[in-house]
Amino acid sequence: MVNTDIAGRRLANQFIRSSASMKPEEVVRRLGALQAQDYLQAVWAIGLRTPSATLAQVERAVAERKIALTWTLRGTIHFVPPEDVKWLLQLCAPRLLRQAVRRMEQLELDEKTLGHARKIIYKALKNGGSIRRPDMLELLESEGIRTGGQRGYHILWHSAYSGLICFGPRSGKQQTFVLLDQWVEHSRELSFEESLSELALRYFTAHGPATVQDFAWWAGLTLTEARAGLDAVKSKLETDVFSGTEYWSPASSGGHMPATSEVHLLPGFDEYILGYSDRSAVLEPETAPLIVPGNNGVFLPTIAAGGQIIGTWKRTVKTKGVDLKFSPFTKLAQDHEERLMLAAERYAAFLGLPVLTIMR
DNA sequence: TGTCTTATACCATGGTTAGG
DNA sequence: CCTAACCATGGTATAAGACA
């Protein structure tokens, strides 16, 4: 059921409705982790949460190692604070590697082959360099390891969860890889229990109001583990009951902050939607399928008005500017229409490009 | 020469359901 | 509650050719 109270508080706690000015790395630290399956959408997920950041500033924060990029929660790529990569991997990797065993067998990637690949990758990166993805795959091929089909992707995925590599700064439009131990200068050491409670505190602080089921889904933990994490930090959180279900929020977020008529352009896979297993507070059941056409796990960029998802959008970057296409589910109210134009201007300013055309 | 269009290859999990 | 198996595509880079 749509709930404007939950929506308004999530907008504030997720820093989408922002009053403070934060640097890109502060956004990542406060959210704990931002899904970054699609790089160009993920940098905007950070930009959306900083009142004035530009694409160049976000990319610089990555290049200066203030933000790390690697596979973590749920087996997918996230922006995370560099000092947290190791304990997040210790928490997530064992289960994910176990679940991937069958897929690895299908791809004929046995432990011997994966170990051989890790040796090749380590040797190539140990002098502190970075290697572009196509060059890395070519290197593996030249050493006799086939990378066709999904093999190359899974070798890199497995190497990241083994703690060997993470993404480096982009080289042009290419991903690069670096050695995790060399890229991350300082790592926090947390026990399993400490990891659960730390992750729980971060999650509910920056995603609340949310349920323990939402947390388990977001973190890729079992419900049992998620409950243990939440139990350890309950005293630092406040609780509300909506429709008989318990929701947890940061203690400072009290009071009512109903969603206003503000309009935001969310990237695909944004934490505002992907951060919860139950998205019904911000998404009508009839429109939910429209943001994931084919129900295939590919989430389109969305338009949020008053905290509710009311349409999708897409952008096309051209040499002289950016084209925008908006696809609202229903005709927009006049004030939403006006604020949509402001959101478009903000997005273009993030890219450092003018808006060329706006289509419907 | 620079821009645009088109074809192609590749990259990236989330949802659902059955069964232990 | 948890795991395993299975199903389902849009976005983007890039190269080649068309075009102004």
Side-chain angles (χ1 to χ4, degrees), chain A residues 227-242:
Chain A
R227 286 188 179 119
L230 173 59
D231 280 343
V233 296
K234 273 182 178 172
S235 64
K236 298 173 183 171
L237 301 169
E238 67 175 38
T239 181
D240 298 276
V241 175
F242 297 103

Side-chain angles (χ1 to χ4, degrees), chain A residues 87 107 127 156 225 304 335:
Chain A
W87 68 262
L107 294 166
N127 290 330
L156 295 168
E225 291 166 338
D335 61 335

Side-chain angles (χ1 to χ4, degrees), chain A residues 93-290:
Chain A
R95 177 180 289 105
L96 291 166
L97 289 171
R98 222 180 308 131
Q99 288 174 347
V101 164
R102 189 174 171 80
R103 183 70 180 122
M104 293 292 168
E105 282 172 4
Q106 288 172 352
L107 294 166
E108 299 177 9
L109 288 170
D110 54 23
E111 189 43 52
K112 183 164 170 258
T113 307
L114 291 167
H116 184 200
R118 284 198 297 272
K119 280 205 183 89
I120 295 166
I121 294 169
Y122 175 76
K123 194 176 160 195
L125 292 173
K126 69 179 179 186
N127 290 330
S130 65
I131 294 182
R132 294 161 20 127
R133 185 189 191 107
D135 297 336
M136 184 70 89
L137 297 180
E138 197 176 306
L139 173 65
L140 290 166
E141 288 277 356
S142 74
E143 298 283 342
I145 296 178
R146 288 175 289 118
T147 61
Q150 293 282 300
R151 277 170 62 98
Y153 164 73
H154 280 87
I155 290 169
L156 295 168
W157 182 94
H158 194 280
S159 297
Y161 277 107
S162 302
L164 179 66
I165 55 173
C166 65
F167 290 102
R170 292 220 310 174
S171 166
K173 292 181 175 176
Q174 292 285 337
Q175 292 171 331
T176 69
F177 293 94
V178 294
L179 284 186
L180 177 64
D181 279 342
Q182 292 183 355
W183 191 249
V184 172
E185 291 160 341
H186 166 68
S187 290
R188 297 178 64 199
E189 303 282 344
L190 299 184
S191 70
F192 185 77
E193 288 73 20
E194 288 168 339
S195 298
L196 288 179
S197 54
E198 173 72 17
L199 200 57
L201 185 59
R202 293 235 188 133
Y203 175 77
F204 288 103
T205 302
H207 294 78
T211 67
V212 71
Q213 283 83 2
D214 291 325
F215 172 49
W217 183 87
W218 177 80
L221 299 171
T222 64
L223 265 178
T224 309
E225 291 166 338
R227 286 188 179 119
L230 173 59
D231 280 343
V233 296
K234 273 182 178 172
S235 64
K236 298 173 183 171
L237 301 169
E238 67 175 38
T239 181
D240 298 276
V241 175
F242 297 103
S243 308
T245 303
E246 205 167 32
Y247 286 72
W248 299 87
S249 309
S252 56
S253 77
H256 290 281
M257 290 180 281
T260 63
S261 57
E262 65 200 273
V263 171
H264 302 283
L265 291 177
L266 306 180
F269 307 100
D270 192 77
E271 289 286 313
Y272 189 66
I273 294 170
L274 269 287
Y276 312 87
S277 57
D278 179 357
R279 294 144 192 161
S280 62
V282 303
L283 193 55
E284 300 279 6
E286 312 86 71
T287 52
L290 300 177

Side-chain angles (χ1 to χ4, degrees), chain A residues 301-314:
Chain A
T302 54
I303 306 167
Q308 298 300 314
I309 304 302
I310 53 110
T312 61
W313 64 289
K314 69 176 287 184

